[in-house]
Amino acid sequence: MEEYILEEQRNTPVCGEYDVFVLGGGIAGISAALAAARQNKKVLLVEKSFILGGLATSGLVTIYLPLCDGYGHQVSFGIAEELLKLSIKDWHNEKRGYPVWLGPDKKSEITETDQRYAVDFNPSLFALAAEELLLKEGVQILYGTQAVACQRQGKRIQAVIVENKSGRTAYKADTFVDASGDCDIAYQSGTATVNFSQGNVLAAWYYFLDNGENKLKQLGASDIPEEEKKLGKTAKEPLVNRRFTGLDGTELSEITILSHNAMYLNMKEKIAADAQSIPLSVPTIPQVRMSRRIDGADTITIDNAEKYKENSIGLVSNWKKRGPVYEIPFGILYNPETVNLICAGRCVSNDDYMWDIMRVIPCCAVTGEAAGTAAALTDDFPSIDIQKLQGILSSNGIKLHKDSY
Ligand SMILES: Cc1cc2nc3c(=O)[nH]c(=O)nc-3n(C[C@H](O)[C@H](O)[C@H](O)COP(=O)(O)OP(=O)(O)OC[C@H]3O[C@@H](n4cnc5c(N)ncnc54)[C@H](O)[C@@H]3O)c2cc1C
């Protein structure tokens, strides 16, 4: 039988009131906060760790996947491109992405064998550059702060309750952007969410020094969605024979310890083979790909490739294969039961195949920018003036429809 304790009732102090409250300082949260601040809104970005970037930096996922369709057409623009350039502003890998983005011939990728518009970045430099940019744009950042509960009235969230070194406090806002990766505000506010049923395989990516070069060791292969399994594709041998939800406190510690074990073993093997092979850094957050997402007004599926969407907020490509381009409908960002909550990044509404596409860095920037811009425009997402939103996104360089490039 489960046991409970009854907590005392308490008065939680309200520490601030904002136009836009953004939860999560990953790529989606950075993009949303930036977009909202650029619409002259008072923005608070709340992050439980003490550095920006989320999985991309603390999780050592340092590959900014392509913004293109694989045939020489860039499809994702705006903050997705701005952050890509920011990620390599102070350091770049000559071998990947550099000639395309910083070299003289940006349109060099035209054939099947050309490298796509992806880059490697340095996680520390990217995180610090992002922090500098957000502060310059007027975003207030609150680190070391975890959202733990929500207060709602009817269809609106009124405040998010957080805990940090100061204790338990609340923040009010007109609109809330859930860029937590795990859809925490939606879940805490009782908005409908969907868990990733398949569960995650274990990942253990870390950096080591090899012949004077910084190298990323990627232990644990990416999983294959059910749709691809039906087509006969098989996943590589997993690191451990277990699946993880990414949503349970005890399990997250187990993931972390199992991933540490795998890395430590691999590091010792490397050092035994070559004493100069020195470990440099390990991830400081669990490397969970998909956990919980909003059950959106709309859901993007594999069939959405090449389909015209009147309410598109931008384009993304498929990092797994050249060709498919998806127009992203605004409805995947919100659920009509909570009118002032919008989601971005790896917790938008998709089926499992598209989740694997939409969770990557460029897509998180695309949905983040749209969510932040929308949050600055209205506090009632189901009745947003979509043409006005599209007008702002277009004026910021975003292509909304495929025929426009
Ligand atoms: C092993 C692995 C390999 C990958 N490989 C690639 C790749 O090669 N290229 C690529 O483009 N993508 C890759 N991805 C995917 C990509 O890195 C992430 O999906 C993407 O960065 C997610 O961005 P996000 O902002 O949506 O979420 P996250 O990066 O998860 O950011 C969410 C942020 O919110 C914070 N947060 C969460 N909950 C709370 C809370 N309650 N209160 C306060 N703060 C909170 C977290 O600390 C975090 O900083 C990979 C992912 C994994 C796990």
Side-chain angles (χ1 to χ4, degrees):
M1 203 177 91
E2 284 182 50
E3 196 187 352
Y4 294 92
I5 55 160
L6 185 63
E7 283 189 87
E8 65 187 53
Q9 257 193 345
R10 51 184 147 195
N11 281 325
T12 302
V14 176
C15 270
E17 232 173 305
Y18 290 81
D19 297 322
V20 180
F21 176 104
V22 179
L23 184 70
I27 298 299
I30 292 171
S31 308
L34 208 50
R38 285 176 178 164
Q39 298 299 312
N40 298 316
K41 295 294 171 185
K42 188 180 168 198
V43 181
L44 179 70
L45 176 68
V46 169
E47 166 56 46
K48 69 180 172 191
S49 65
F50 283 89
I51 193 146
L52 292 178
L55 278 166
T57 60
S58 307
L60 298 183
V61 175
T62 55
I63 306 160
Y64 206 118
L65 282 168
L67 303 183
C68 68
D69 66 353
Y71 294 110
H73 304 112
Q74 184 178 338
V75 301
S76 300
F77 294 85
I79 289 177
E81 178 176 341
E82 181 181 354
L83 291 186
L84 183 147
K85 288 178 175 161
L86 190 79
S87 78
I88 53 170
K89 178 170 77 77
D90 303 304
W91 177 88
H92 58 262
N93 178 356
E94 292 284 342
K95 290 181 194 150
R96 179 152 42 190
Y98 162 74
V100 173
W101 288 107
L102 303 178
D105 181 17
K106 190 174 164 211
K107 293 282 171 211
S108 63
E109 174 221 76
I110 42 171
T111 72
E112 286 278 354
T113 49
D114 280 336
Q115 210 174 63
R116 295 179 69 182
Y117 293 155
V119 297
D120 292 336
F121 56 84
N122 176 289
S124 310
L125 286 167
F126 186 23
L128 300 184
E131 182 184 89
E132 183 182 74
L133 176 63
L134 288 190
L135 294 177
K136 202 178 98 209
E137 299 283 350
V139 174
Q140 191 182 327
I141 303 172
L142 189 63
Y143 283 128
T145 302
Q146 177 150 359
V148 293
C150 267
Q151 196 182 60
R152 71 179 290 156
Q153 199 168 45
K155 288 190 163 195
R156 305 185 67 79
I157 293 176
Q158 294 193 308
V160 166
I161 296 164
V162 302
E163 287 183 353
N164 61 21
K165 204 70 171 167
S166 313
R168 192 173 168 99
T169 58
Y171 287 88
K172 288 184 162 177
D174 295 336
T175 50
F176 295 84
V177 180
D178 190 338
S180 64
D182 300 325
C183 228
D184 280 6
I185 302 188
Y187 181 71
Q188 288 160 5
S189 66
T191 309
T193 55
V194 179
N195 291 356
F196 182 52
S197 57
Q198 213 175 304
N200 289 266
V201 290
L202 187 71
W205 291 22
Y206 74 94
Y207 265 96
F208 69 104
L209 196 64
D210 184 32
N211 273 327
E213 221 183 296
N214 252 0
K215 283 207 180 136
L216 182 61
K217 182 73 194 171
Q218 297 160 285
L219 295 172
S222 178
D223 202 11
I224 295 185
E226 290 300 332
E227 288 83 347
E228 288 187 17
K229 283 184 188 149
K230 282 179 210 148
L231 301 173
K233 263 193 157 185
T234 46
K236 288 199 188 126
E237 195 61 33
L239 277 176
V240 294
N241 213 5
R242 239 183 99 178
R243 298 270 169 171
F244 304 93
T245 63
L247 294 170
D248 177 277
T250 308
E251 186 213 55
L252 281 171
S253 293
E254 286 167 0
I255 297 181
T256 304
I257 291 165
L258 285 166
S259 135
H260 287 170
N261 283 343
M263 288 186 277
Y264 193 28
L265 196 68
N266 190 265
M267 286 170 186
K268 287 193 280 193
E269 280 170 9
K270 279 191 173 303
I271 292 170
D274 172 10
Q276 302 305 313
S277 176
I278 303 164
L280 291 174
S281 48
V282 295
T284 52
I285 57 173
Q287 294 166 327
V288 173
R289 290 180 170 91
M290 293 168 281
S291 52
R292 183 165 54 209
R293 63 166 174 85
I294 190 87
D295 187 6
D298 201 348
T299 297
I300 189 167
T301 68
I302 187 169
D303 305 324
N304 276 90
E306 318 306 328
K307 291 250 170 76
Y308 177 82
K309 291 278 163 189
E310 197 173 6
N311 62 349
S312 171
I313 49 87
L315 302 177
V316 302
S317 60
N318 186 321
W319 63 274
K320 294 178 142 184
K321 55 181 176 198
R322 294 172 193 263
V325 174
Y326 308 86
E327 299 193 3
I328 306 302
F330 180 66
I332 71 165
L333 306 182
Y334 72 93
N335 176 298
E337 287 312 307
T338 310
V339 298
N340 65 340
L341 172 66
I342 193 156
C343 295
R346 63 187 178 89
C347 51
V348 299
S349 192
N350 11 234
D351 68 0
D352 284 359
Y353 178 84
M354 281 309 291
W355 206 340
D356 209 29
I357 305 303
M358 293 298 295
R359 71 181 169 86
V360 301
I361 292 172
C363 306
C364 290
V366 169
T367 54
E369 178 167 10
T373 310
L377 199 61
T378 180
D379 62 358
D380 186 343
F381 297 115
S383 56
I384 195 167
D385 179 343
I386 190 73
Q387 281 165 357
K388 198 165 174 193
L389 173 66
Q390 289 173 321
I392 299 171
L393 294 172
S394 295
S395 69
N396 289 332
I398 302 213
K399 305 282 183 226
L400 299 171
H401 300 291
K402 198 184 166 192
D403 58 4
S404 58
Y405 64 68

